[in-house]
C-alpha cells in the first residue's frame, strides 16, 4: 500500500546556472554532485532571485540552487547589531545567500525576496579581495553571515578552503558560525589560530519549536566539544535569546549542559544577544514566514530595530551572564 506520509520534494531538483558561472570548475563539481537535477541556464542570478511576488514558503520547502559569480564588492562592513569582539576592521563576505535550515526568527526571511540558495562559485575573487584588504592591515572576517556555510559543505567545501587560505595569511582571522553538527567533516584539518569556529546554541525546547531542520543543540554541543578538544578556537553563541515561557529555566539549563559537555574555561568566548530585528525585515517576515509567536511579540521599536524592552534585555542578559560567569572569565562574555 502506498505511504500517505508527507515527504518533502527533493531539494535542488532544479539548478539555475548564471552565464558568468557556467564554465567555472566549482560549477562543474556541483553539477556532478547533483547529476539528477534539471539545469536551467540564466543570464543573471537576480533574474530568478529578485523576481517580485515569489512564493517564499513554497520555495523554502523545495529550494532551487542558483550558481552565480559575484562581481563588484566582496567585503562588507558588519551590521551595527553584530558583535565585533573588539576588532577594529570587522567585515563579512557573502559566499552564499540563504540557508538550508529554517529558523522561524531568521532575518533572511525578511531580507531576501527568494528562499532559493545562491552559491557564488568564484571563490578566487573573494580570496583576491581579502588579500588586497589585508595589505592595509589585520582583518577580521565573518564568513558564515547571510547563510550557514558549514551546513553547505556537502555541496561546496568552502569552509575547508577558507580555513586553508586563512592558515597562511597572518593578520587574517575568520569566524565560521554554524548550527550544524558535522565536526567530523573537518576533523582531519589541522587547527589554526586564524580561525574561530562558532556554534550557535539554544535550549532544546526553543530549537524544537523555532529552529526547523537544524540538528538538536546537544549534537551541536558535541561538535563544539570535539573541536575544542582538537585544539580549535571555539566560540559559543546564544543568539538570539528568546523570551519564551519558562525562559529562565530553559537558558539556565542550557548553560549547565554546556558546562557538563566541555571545558568552558577553554572557550575563546561566549556571545549573547537577545532577539532583535530590522523593523522592515519583520514586516516582510510576517508576510512570507510561517506564522509564529516569535514574530508577533509586542517588541519595542528602537530606531530601525524591533526588540525586547531595555528591562527585558537586561533581565535576559544578566541571567545568562551570571550563569556563564561561574565557568568563564567575565571578559570573555560578550553581550550584543
Ligand atoms: S541557521 Fe542561521 S541563517 Fe540558517 S535559518 Fe537559522 S538563523 Fe537563518
Amino acid at each position: 500500500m502506498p505511504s500517505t506520509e508527507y515527504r518533502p520534494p527533493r531539494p535542488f531538483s532544479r539548478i539555475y546556472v548564471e552565464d558568468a558561472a557556467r564554465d567555472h570548475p566549482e560549477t562543474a563539481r556541483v553539477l556532478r554532485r547533483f547529476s539528477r537535477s534539471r539545469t536551467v541556464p540564466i543570464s543573471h542570478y537576480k533574474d530568478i532571485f529578485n523576481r517580485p511576488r515569489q512564493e517564499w514558503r513554497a520555495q523554502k520547502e523545495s529550494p532551487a540552487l542558483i550558481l552565480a559569480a559575484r562581481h563588484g564588492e566582496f567585503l562588507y562592513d558588519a551590521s551595527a547589531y553584530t558583535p565585533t569582539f573588539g576588532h577594529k576592521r570587522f567585515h563579512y563576505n557573502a559566499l552564499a545567500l540563504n540557508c538550508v535550515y529554517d529558523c522561524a526568527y531568521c532575518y533572511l526571511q525578511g531580507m531576501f525576496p527568494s528562499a532559493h540558495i545562491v552559491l557564488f562559485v568564484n571563490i578566487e575573487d573573494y580570496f583576491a579581495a581579502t588579500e588586497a584588504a589585508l595589505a592595509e592591515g589585520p582583518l577580521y572576517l565573518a564568513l558564515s553571515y547571510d547563510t550557514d556555510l558549514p551546513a553547505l559543505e556537502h555541496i561546496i567545501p568552502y569552509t575547508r578552503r577558507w580555513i586553508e587560505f586563512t592558515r597562511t595569511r597572518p593578520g587574517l582571522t575568520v569566524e565560521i558560525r554554524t548550527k550544524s553538527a558535522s565536526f567530523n567533516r573537518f576533523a582531519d584539518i589541522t587547527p589554526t589560530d586564524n580561525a574561530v569556529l562558532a556554534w550557535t546554541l539554544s535550549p532544546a525546547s526553543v530549537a524544537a519549536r523555532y529552529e526547523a531542520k537544524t540538528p538538536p543543540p546537544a549534537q551541536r554541543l558535541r561538535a563544539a566539544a570535539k573541536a575544542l578538544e582538537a585544539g580549535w578556537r571555539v566560540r559559543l553563541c546564544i543568539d538570539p535569546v528568546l523570551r519564551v515561557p519558562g525562559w529562565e529555566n530553559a537558558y539556565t539549563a542550557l548553560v549547565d549542559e554546556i558546562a557538563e559537555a566541555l571545558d568552558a574555561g577553554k572557550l575563546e568566548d561566549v556571545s549573547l544577544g537577545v532577539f532583535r530585528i530590522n523593523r522592515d525585515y519583520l514586516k516582510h517576515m510576517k508576510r512570507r514566514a510561517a506564522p509564529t509567536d516569535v514574530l508577533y511579540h509586542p517588541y519595542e521599536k528602537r530606531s530601525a530595530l524591533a526588540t525586547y524592552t531595555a528591562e527585558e534585555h537586561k533581565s535576559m542578559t544578566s541571567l545568562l551572564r551570571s550563569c556563564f560567569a561561574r565557568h568563564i572569565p567575565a571578559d570573555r562574555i560578550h553581550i550584543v
Side-chain angles (χ1 to χ4, degrees):
M1 182 192 273
S3 166
T4 53
E5 189 188 345
Y6 172 71
R7 288 175 195 274
R10 193 160 54 92
F12 311 139
S13 57
R14 180 177 304 194
I15 303 183
Y16 295 99
V17 181
E18 194 187 69
D19 287 347
R22 191 183 52 215
D23 298 326
H24 197 284
E26 286 297 342
T27 299
R29 232 184 47 76
V30 174
L31 292 182
R32 272 199 303 278
R33 165 89 177 72
F34 293 95
S35 58
R36 289 171 57 211
S37 301
R38 187 153 78 87
T39 306
V40 182
I42 52 173
S43 51
H44 196 278
Y45 82 90
K46 288 184 181 173
D47 297 346
I48 298 298
F49 196 69
N50 284 6
R51 279 180 304 183
R53 295 180 294 284
Q54 300 190 60
E55 291 295 332
W56 204 98
R57 266 326 303 169
Q59 290 179 355
K60 191 71 191 174
E61 291 309 317
S62 178
L65 205 54
I66 304 175
L67 303 178
R70 165 77 79 180
H71 299 290
E73 261 188 290
F74 290 90
L75 298 179
Y76 302 93
D77 291 335
S79 140
Y81 311 112
T82 302
T84 59
F85 307 104
H87 294 274
K88 285 201 185 96
R89 293 181 74 216
F90 187 107
H91 294 289
Y92 73 96
N93 64 18
L95 296 149
L97 309 179
N98 276 329
C99 183
V100 292
Y101 300 140
D102 191 10
C103 302
Y105 51 72
C106 180
Y107 70 97
L108 297 175
Q109 301 171 105
M111 186 169 168
F112 296 135
S114 170
H116 293 327
I117 294 180
V118 181
L119 294 180
F120 294 107
V121 294
N122 53 329
I123 189 172
E124 64 284 353
D125 294 328
Y126 287 80
F127 286 154
T130 306
E131 293 271 26
L134 273 173
E136 292 166 29
L139 186 68
Y140 189 93
L141 187 58
L143 297 180
S144 186
Y145 205 80
D146 291 334
T147 187
D148 188 311
L149 206 59
L152 297 170
E153 195 73 1
H154 64 296
I155 304 172
I156 200 158
Y158 273 178
T159 299
R160 174 177 292 269
R161 294 195 51 195
W162 271 93
I163 289 171
E164 293 309 336
F165 172 80
T166 304
R167 184 189 302 287
T168 51
R169 270 48 183 205
L172 177 61
T173 306
V174 296
E175 186 214 65
I176 304 164
R177 194 176 289 210
T178 189
K179 285 193 181 99
S180 74
S182 57
F183 178 69
N184 288 349
R185 223 176 254 288
F186 310 109
D188 63 320
I189 308 178
T190 307
T192 167
D193 275 351
N194 295 32
V196 178
L197 305 185
W199 272 271
T200 301
L201 297 173
S202 298
S205 55
V206 170
R209 184 164 177 150
Y210 300 109
E211 297 175 356
K213 301 183 186 171
T214 62
Q219 288 181 17
R220 300 178 216 164
L221 188 52
R222 272 199 292 279
K226 279 188 197 168
L228 198 61
E229 275 168 32
W232 289 92
R233 293 168 72 185
V234 173
R235 166 173 297 143
L236 295 184
C237 309
I238 317 295
D239 190 354
V241 181
L242 298 179
R243 203 175 176 87
V244 292
W247 65 270
E248 296 99 324
N249 289 341
Y251 284 94
T252 302
L254 174 63
V255 179
D256 291 344
E257 285 159 29
I258 290 169
E260 266 178 42
L262 48 73
D263 183 351
K266 288 191 183 159
L267 289 170
E268 175 76 10
D269 51 24
V270 171
S271 179
L272 311 173
V274 305
F275 180 71
R276 58 209 177 279
I277 187 90
N278 175 293
R279 284 163 56 188
D280 288 336
Y281 291 174
L282 185 58
K283 266 189 234 157
H284 296 314
M285 288 163 79
K286 285 178 178 171
R287 279 208 315 274
R288 292 177 191 148
T292 164
D293 51 359
V294 81
L295 303 184
Y296 293 91
H297 182 91
Y299 296 110
E300 189 171 86
K301 294 173 186 141
R302 269 192 248 155
S303 61
L305 277 190
T307 187
Y308 295 111
T309 65
E311 270 176 36
E312 288 169 331
H313 179 284
K314 192 168 171 211
S315 62
M316 294 158 83
T317 53
S318 299
L319 176 88
L320 272 161
R321 190 208 300 263
S322 64
C323 290
F324 272 115
R326 294 201 293 270
H327 309 288
I328 180 168
D331 63 349
R332 281 193 265 148
I333 302 172
H334 302 283
I335 295 181
V336 187

